[in-house]
Amino acid sequence: MSLHLCDVCQKLDIRKLLAQSEAQTSTTIKTRLTGLHDDFLEYKSGLPDFFQHQKSLSALETSANTGCTFCRLIFESWSGDSGRYPTADKAIDDAGQGQLFIGTSGHCVSKAEMPTIIVTQRPDHSSRTLCTFDVFSNRDSVPRKTSKFVGTPVASHSDSELCRVAAMEWFQDCLLTHPECGPSRSFRRPTRLINVGRKGSNDPPRLSVEEVPQAASWAALSYCWGPGITKFTLRSDTVEEFRAGIALEKWPATLRDAIQATQKLDLQYIWIDALCILQDSTTDWRAESARMQDVYSGAAVTIIASESPSTAAGIYASRPPIKWEPCQLPFLDGKEQCTVWLRPSFRNAVDLSYTNPLQTRIWTLQEGLLASRSLSFRKDQTVWECSRGRFTESGHVLMKDHLFDSKDFFHNKTRKNKANAVYQGLQFGILKQISAFETQKARIGWLPKYMTSSGLCYSLNLNPYTRWFEIIFEYSRRNYTKDTDILPALGGVARAFADITKDKYCAGMWESELLQCLCWSRQVVWLNKSSRRLSLSDMDFTKPTAYRAPSWSWASINGGRVTMYNSAIGDDIPITNVATPVKIHLEPLAEDLYGQLKSGYLSIKGSLFMLGDLWAEYWRNTSSSWEEYKSLPKSNTAESKTCKYPALHVFALQLLNKGGGGTFEFEQQHISSPNQRFAAFLIASTEGIPEEYKDNENESMTGAANLLLLESTGAKDNEYRRIGVFILKRPWEISVIVSETHRIETKKWKDLMDEDWKRFEEKVERPSVGVLEGKAWIEVAKQCPKRMTIRIV
């Protein structure tokens, strides 16, 4: 068997390298995951120095040019690396430190990771990795049976026999050997399904309604509509045509491919939204869109057309051409000699970056999250996902990532068996009871130990709300055709989340975590992202076309990614003030609180700081253009005489006039009204020394405050609308001018004069908090008005 290898490469024993990597001693590390628990993950270190290869890169190049296929693969991979510096290569070779080593990387056993083959050098006692490779062989080969670190081939086209075989193997293996996978409970069968016929059937696909057996299994499709599908949809005038059946060759390519994939998985039915919801009936659309949890969580598998931008494009596509040809190496197994292949590593090349067409749409996020099993046809390879993990065509497995899209959270049946369900329910019951008790105490002035469920989650060793924040962070970057879909397209996931937490859903947020959620912010959306110097004139201030949510919800405005974080909460710092939700009222447009809303308000009790007329001093009312306003001299002094809290007023005004996120939200939320008033409402404030540092005399007091910026609506007394959010931090360097504030509180805050702050500026070269913010923080923390109940709409 001629493999075209040099004398050095012929001595490399890949089988022995993989065997010794598997035999490495394990270490265990405790890791906090974003699911319901901490976890202990098992790791094994790599063997980077297993085999001494060529003496230098120049020797490697010579061997590659004389025909060694492995040396050529290494040299071409390194030569094509954008991080390569030829001058550094030459310097290392000239210093006699260019020895190459072949070995393996470390890997996480708990995640079923495969170590990669790594090529490294050790110049000056350091280490640099030149390239990484995967070992692979045919699915049923001896090397695959010998070592679990041998991957599988990747087809040149996603519509190949290799992909079909892999898909059926994954599906059957999951059905038969994964007790944690599949629908976690019984879900109602969809109202309508497409009958694709039995495997090998030539009958045309047709719409089925009453004739579908209640116990029928179905696939679901997640895809992009794109242009041109409106003619091929279920409408009142096409129902009978679809029920009679339409020849498969007349179906749009993506739908046709999905039907054929369903047949190959030996399933008879598939749910496709365009054909299973009456597109000309608002009543049917609202009823069926509220059942997305039933459709996708109840499906046996969801077929995901990841790379298809439209129904005309089809699911399948050619793979990107490979840059470097794989090479063969001997794989000795006892007396039998066989071969394996090496290719550039797929570990980081798999398209998991959510940049494909499907991952840009809001509806497809919940379709993927709600699916208990999914089969994705991606750019680089086909991927199977279930509660056990993520399985790729190349043979890699990614498990226990516990990211926002991990299926273990919503679908792990072993966690949802009777005993575990009772235990988990007890935990959340305790959380809810304590949270409600702390809220009641706060209403009568007793500061709670926990302001939201966050502290309780960590003390009970579970925090599902972190997972929700991750979901919203991903969801909010996506696009939509109808902006009123912003809450309906999230409704199925919200229902599934409520099933777990038993919490009350509040327009994209949760009652138990409301104070944290209220402090949301949204990234600015730009009209021209390619501009080198983005300014306010490049911001997209487009407002929603219709009412979507109360102003206190992130869903009320357009924008980019949503971050929900209250910096005043956490860090084990004593609470000094906290708002108390009194009533949450939401009125749905139809009957679904998880869908589109008609109106809503939040009654909340806390400290309201009345400010001056921010609108009168807004840049639009003081300049003819943004460019002119930027050229005007600005003052950082708190000289406003229009309110009791001058520093807070000026700080808020600067936030609105800064041309950043504060301006972006204000432009969308602000609605002028006669005799309009502006205020800042304190959500929470903390001040003190963290518990773990109390015995450290060098540790200074710290603190923060989160406030909502509000404007009166003019409709009712004490009724406000959110127009912004901001954070104030305690100036810990203040001890420079008031020494006792280093460790304790003092009444001297109110006696600070301008000369004191001037001395502060002179003595503190780079303060953590500017003078204006320091003054504003003192007004909030030390001049707090009496708590009152307001309504935010």
Side-chain angles (χ1 to χ4, degrees):
M1 183 184 296
S2 178
L3 299 180
H4 304 291
L5 298 175
C6 66
D7 292 341
V8 176
C9 290
Q10 287 180 31
K11 297 174 184 177
L12 174 60
D13 189 340
I14 285 290
R15 186 203 62 78
K16 186 176 180 181
L17 172 57
L18 297 181
Q20 289 191 11
S21 294
E22 187 172 353
Q24 287 285 87
T25 303
S26 298
T27 57
T28 303
I29 301 174
K30 186 176 182 180
T31 305
R32 176 167 290 284
L33 302 169
T34 58
L36 299 180
H37 55 278
D38 288 341
D39 206 354
F40 289 90
L41 298 185
E42 183 183 354
Y43 291 89
K44 287 186 178 181
S45 58
L47 295 171
D49 303 333
F50 174 81
F51 179 75
Q52 284 194 359
H53 196 242
Q54 300 290 353
K55 295 292 185 181
S56 64
L57 283 170
S58 58
L60 177 74
E61 183 178 10
T62 300
S63 179
N65 290 335
T66 55
C68 177
T69 54
F70 188 34
C71 287
R72 184 170 65 238
L73 178 61
I74 296 172
F75 184 74
E76 290 180 348
S77 298
W78 174 237
S79 299
D81 193 302
S82 58
R84 181 199 177 201
Y85 294 95
T87 53
D89 293 347
K90 186 176 185 304
I92 292 171
D93 276 5
D94 291 345
Q97 298 180 356
Q99 176 68 58
L100 274 68
F101 296 90
I102 308 293
T104 54
S105 64
H107 63 284
C108 179
V109 178
S110 302
K111 293 185 179 182
E113 287 180 351
M114 289 184 184
T116 56
I117 304 299
I118 59 174
V119 182
T120 59
Q121 287 180 308
R122 302 283 188 276
D124 295 325
H125 308 291
S126 63
S127 175
R128 69 171 187 163
T129 300
L130 304 183
C131 42
T132 62
F133 301 106
D134 285 343
V135 182
F136 73 96
S137 184
N138 293 329
R139 300 187 74 86
D140 56 352
S141 66
V142 171
R144 284 274 296 164
K145 296 173 182 177
T146 303
S147 173
K148 62 182 180 182
F149 296 153
V150 177
T152 48
V154 174
S156 60
H157 196 285
S158 55
D159 186 22
S160 71
E161 186 62 25
L162 277 176
C163 296
R164 286 191 285 272
V165 169
M168 180 54 82
E169 283 186 7
W170 287 328
F171 186 41
Q172 292 300 320
D173 191 46
C174 187
L175 286 173
L176 300 174
T177 67
H178 294 185
E180 70 272 33
C181 296
S184 58
R185 60 177 175 83
S186 296
F187 291 93
R188 289 184 298 161
R189 179 178 58 76
T191 306
R192 307 175 186 94
L193 288 167
I194 302 299
N195 187 337
V196 303
R198 298 285 183 182
K199 195 172 185 179
S201 169
N202 293 321
D203 294 336
R206 56 186 175 82
L207 179 69
S208 296
V209 188
E210 299 88 354
E211 60 270 30
V212 179
Q214 284 298 322
S217 294
W218 67 90
L221 177 63
S222 180
Y223 67 110
C224 289
W225 279 36
I229 194 176
T230 51
K231 294 181 180 179
F232 203 86
T233 56
L234 185 68
R235 304 183 305 275
S236 301
D237 61 337
T238 61
V239 170
E240 293 308 316
E241 182 182 6
F242 280 108
R243 294 199 70 164
I246 297 176
L248 187 59
E249 60 269 18
K250 295 182 179 180
W251 289 61
T254 299
L255 309 189
R256 182 171 65 246
D257 289 346
I259 286 172
Q260 291 174 333
T262 302
Q263 292 172 331
K264 289 165 186 173
L265 291 173
D266 208 16
L267 293 170
Q268 189 177 348
Y269 299 95
I270 185 172
W271 187 90
I272 301 172
D273 60 353
L275 307 178
C276 295
I277 301 176
L278 283 169
Q279 300 301 319
D280 58 351
S281 169
T282 301
T283 301
D284 192 67
W285 184 90
R286 286 176 180 162
E288 294 303 312
S289 64
R291 293 192 57 198
M292 292 300 98
Q293 186 183 10
D294 288 333
V295 170
Y296 286 96
S297 293
V301 62
T302 294
I303 297 167
I304 298 182
S306 301
E307 303 300 327
S308 177
S310 70
T311 55
I315 288 178
Y316 307 116
S318 296
R319 301 287 170 55
I322 56 175
K323 293 183 179 179
W324 305 287
E325 284 294 328
C327 76
Q328 274 183 296
L329 291 177
F331 189 92
L332 305 176
D333 183 52
K335 295 182 179 180
E336 185 176 356
Q337 181 173 341
C338 45
T339 60
V340 291
W341 294 81
L342 263 68
R343 65 187 168 209
S345 175
F346 259 110
R347 178 182 285 188
N348 298 317
V350 181
D351 180 23
L352 303 177
S353 59
Y354 297 93
T355 57
N356 57 57
L358 195 72
Q359 307 299 343
T360 64
R361 311 299 298 174
I362 59 172
W363 280 99
T364 59
L365 177 66
Q366 77 166 355
E367 291 167 5
L369 291 177
L370 293 174
S372 60
R373 303 183 185 96
S374 61
L375 179 64
S376 304
F377 295 89
R378 301 190 180 184
K379 179 169 56 182
D380 297 313
Q381 50 185 304
T382 307
V383 178
W384 173 270
E385 295 176 83
C386 58
S387 292
R388 177 70 62 89
R390 181 178 284 150
F391 301 80
T392 68
E393 189 180 334
S394 62
H396 282 286
V397 181
L398 296 89
M399 300 174 67
K400 286 190 176 180
D401 283 335
H402 291 267
L403 301 174
F404 74 90
D405 60 344
S406 298
K407 295 192 181 300
D408 71 293
F409 185 77
F410 289 120
H411 303 291
N412 194 317
K413 289 198 293 187
T414 57
R415 198 183 67 235
K416 295 185 178 184
N417 63 35
K418 190 170 183 180
N420 288 338
V422 169
Y423 176 67
Q424 181 178 297
L426 179 62
Q427 284 185 305
F428 281 111
I430 293 172
L431 185 152
K432 290 283 288 181
Q433 290 296 321
I434 297 177
S435 182
F437 179 63
E438 297 288 2
T439 300
Q440 290 296 328
K441 289 199 302 182
R443 288 177 182 171
I444 59 175
W446 291 1
L447 294 179
K449 182 177 181 181
Y450 305 110
M451 287 182 284
T452 68
S453 65
S454 291
L456 295 171
C457 284
Y458 286 120
S459 66
L460 292 173
N461 197 27
L462 67 156
N463 189 9
Y465 297 99
T466 301
R467 183 67 61 90
W468 182 259
F469 296 161
E470 290 175 348
I471 290 172
I472 298 302
F473 186 73
E474 166 63 22
Y475 180 79
S476 54
R477 76 166 180 87
R478 300 188 175 209
N479 304 321
Y480 42 74
T481 303
K482 296 170 60 179
D483 65 355
T484 50
D485 286 351
I486 194 73
L487 288 177
L490 191 64
V493 175
R495 279 186 171 85
F497 195 87
D499 286 346
I500 295 173
T501 63
K502 312 305 178 187
D503 204 353
K504 180 181 178 181
Y505 185 60
C506 307
M509 308 191 295
W510 298 95
E511 183 178 36
S512 294
E513 195 76 358
L514 191 61
L515 294 183
Q516 186 89 320
C517 295
L518 287 173
C519 298
W520 58 266
S521 60
R522 293 203 74 160
Q523 284 183 343
V524 173
V525 174
W526 303 98
L527 293 168
N528 181 16
K529 295 180 181 179
S530 61
S531 176
R532 290 186 177 182
R533 299 185 64 181
L534 294 170
S535 67
L536 184 138
S537 57
D538 296 307
M539 286 186 186
D540 185 356
F541 294 134
T542 304
K543 295 185 178 184
T545 59
Y547 181 89
R548 301 194 314 207
S551 66
W552 45 265
S553 167
W554 57 266
S556 62
I557 66 170
N558 294 327
R561 289 190 186 274
V562 172
T563 302
M564 288 190 242
Y565 179 63
N566 188 331
S567 67
I569 297 176
D571 297 330
D572 200 21
I573 301 172
I575 298 166
T576 57
N577 203 329
V578 60
T580 311
V582 177
K583 183 180 180 181
I584 304 168
H585 175 77
L586 296 169
E587 185 177 353
L589 189 62
E591 298 180 355
D592 182 17
L593 279 171
Y594 293 89
Q596 197 172 345
L597 298 176
K598 184 178 180 181
S599 64
Y601 66 82
L602 165 67
S603 291
I604 189 167
K605 186 176 183 180
S607 299
L608 187 71
F609 298 80
M610 299 308 302
L611 306 177
D613 190 348
L614 295 175
W615 175 243
E617 299 176 79
Y618 188 55
W619 71 269
R620 290 191 184 277
N621 294 318
T622 57
S623 308
S624 59
S625 68
W626 173 248
E627 287 68 25
E628 179 187 330
Y629 175 80
K630 286 194 299 181
S631 65
L632 296 176
K634 307 295 188 300
S635 173
N636 282 324
T637 58
E639 298 177 350
S640 175
K641 299 178 181 178
T642 60
C643 68
K644 185 179 177 181
Y645 309 101
L648 189 60
H649 170 87
V650 175
F651 188 86
L653 183 63
Q654 288 188 0
L655 174 77
L656 299 186
N657 284 330
K658 193 174 182 179
T663 310
F664 181 72
E665 180 177 350
F666 183 69
E667 286 283 335
Q668 291 195 65
Q669 298 273 40
H670 171 67
I671 303 174
S672 294
S673 63
N675 303 314
Q676 194 163 45
R677 293 170 294 129
F678 296 86
F681 184 81
L682 181 62
I683 295 296
S685 64
T686 58
E687 186 177 22
I689 299 174
E691 194 71 32
E692 60 180 310
Y693 299 122
K694 278 194 173 181
D695 296 331
N696 185 351
E697 290 297 324
N698 294 321
E699 189 69 27
S700 298
M701 293 189 75
T702 185
N706 280 80
L707 300 100
L708 299 184
L709 198 56
L710 307 175
E711 66 180 18
S712 61
T713 64
K716 296 180 180 179
D717 291 340
N718 295 322
E719 184 178 90
Y720 292 87
R721 177 187 306 108
R722 170 179 155 150
I723 54 172
V725 63
F726 61 95
I727 301 169
L728 296 173
K729 295 183 179 179
R730 183 189 191 273
W732 60 268
E733 301 101 337
I734 200 70
S735 58
V736 169
I737 53 178
V738 186
S739 58
E740 58 264 42
T741 61
H742 176 66
R743 298 285 295 178
I744 61 174
E745 272 308 295
T746 177
K747 294 181 179 179
K748 290 186 178 180
W749 292 106
K750 62 181 180 180
D751 299 326
L752 290 177
M753 306 296 288
D754 287 342
E755 54 266 27
D756 295 312
W757 288 107
K758 187 175 182 180
R759 193 165 76 255
F760 175 84
E761 288 184 304
E762 292 172 351
K763 290 190 175 184
V764 183
E765 184 176 350
R766 293 181 178 179
S768 60
V769 171
V771 170
L772 178 62
E773 184 175 350
K775 289 181 177 180
W777 185 86
I778 290 172
E779 289 176 353
V780 170
K782 310 303 170 185
Q783 303 174 34
C784 207
K786 186 177 179 181
R787 286 157 56 89
M788 61 181 292
T789 301
I790 64 169
R791 174 183 288 193
I792 307 176
V793 296

